[in-house]
Amino acid sequence: MNAAEIKLELFRKIDNLPKSDLENLYHKFVALLESNAVYKLNDFEKKAIEEALKNSEESRLVEHVDVLNEASAKYPNLKFK
C-alpha cells in the first residue's frame, strides 16, 4: 500500500465515525503527532519481552494462529488479524 492509498483508507474510516468517536480520536491523534517522547516500557512489558526472547532462544515457539486464537478467546471484544 502506498502513501496515497493509506491516506485514502484512513480518510474513509475516519469519515464513517460517529461525531463522539471522531472527537475522541482527534484528540488522541493530535497528542500522538505532537509527542516527541520516546515510549518507555513498563516493568510488565520488559518482563514479557525478556520471557519471549528466552522462549525463542530455547526454541519454545508458538504458532501465530495459536496466539491469535488464544487472544481472541481471552479478549472477544477486540479484532485481531
Side-chain angles (χ1 to χ4, degrees):
M1 199 181 278
N2 65 35
E5 292 169 327
I6 292 170
K7 290 176 186 177
L8 183 58
E9 179 66 19
L10 280 172
F11 174 79
R12 287 180 178 152
K13 288 180 182 274
I14 291 169
D15 194 44
N16 289 322
L17 288 174
K19 186 177 185 292
S20 60
D21 290 344
L22 179 61
E23 290 172 350
N24 187 26
L25 178 64
Y26 169 78
H27 294 295
K28 290 179 180 180
F29 192 68
V30 169
L32 177 66
L33 291 174
E34 293 176 350
S35 173
N36 292 328
V38 175
Y39 183 79
K40 294 182 181 179
L41 299 174
N42 63 39
D43 290 339
F44 177 79
E45 292 166 325
K46 288 177 189 176
K47 183 178 178 185
I49 291 170
E50 289 170 4
E51 182 180 339
L53 290 172
K54 181 180 177 191
N55 285 337
S56 177
E57 289 170 2
E58 296 173 358
S59 297
R60 291 187 296 173
L61 305 175
V62 179
E63 293 290 327
H64 179 70
V65 68
D66 295 334
V67 172
L68 288 179
N69 289 339
E70 184 178 338
S72 295
K74 189 171 183 178
Y75 304 104
N77 294 331
L78 298 179
K79 296 178 184 174
F80 296 95
K81 292 185 178 182

